[in-house]
Amino acid sequence: QAVVSVNSASVNQVCQTGDPVSQTVTSSGGAAPLVVIGGASKISGAPSFSTASPAFDGTDTAGSRLIVGYKIYNSSPVDHTIDSAGDGGNGSSLFSAYLELT
């Protein structure tokens, strides 16, 4: 079935010096089908997730500075906690959200 529209919700984002705090995606309040996404980037060092709970279905990297994860729900979505691993020096970012698909 083709996707007709996308609605974003529970959008979290931060870019700062130091280690960003964990984020919660409140996807349990969304209507399936939906996709939870999370990403982390660093100016110095390779980014990774210290927490992705529940686990992502998959992750992908863009170069050596960005990692993005996704979890697809066809029914019964649950909330997610996402955190990046460590301090990226003078530029660390963490973002998360869910996308409802209709």
Side-chain angles (χ1 to χ4, degrees):
Q1 184 174 0
V3 174
V4 176
S5 67
V6 177
N7 179 47
S8 63
S10 190
V11 177
N12 305 289
Q13 59 186 356
V14 65
C15 184
Q16 66 183 47
T17 300
D19 186 8
V21 298
S22 67
Q23 297 176 352
T24 299
V25 180
T26 56
S27 44
S28 64
L34 64 77
V35 179
V36 174
I37 58 170
S41 67
K42 291 183 176 183
I43 296 261
S44 111
S48 63
F49 295 109
S50 59
T51 303
S53 179
F56 289 123
D57 290 336
T59 60
D60 200 1
T61 57
S64 62
R65 303 278 188 252
L66 174 67
I67 187 169
V68 177
Y70 66 91
K71 175 74 174 175
I72 299 170
Y73 285 99
N74 290 309
S75 63
S76 305
V78 299
D79 292 346
H80 279 250
T81 301
I82 298 167
D83 199 2
S84 59
D87 180 354
N90 61 1
S92 298
S93 64
L94 185 63
F95 62 89
S96 58
Y98 70 87
L99 307 173
E100 292 178 317
L101 311 173
T102 55

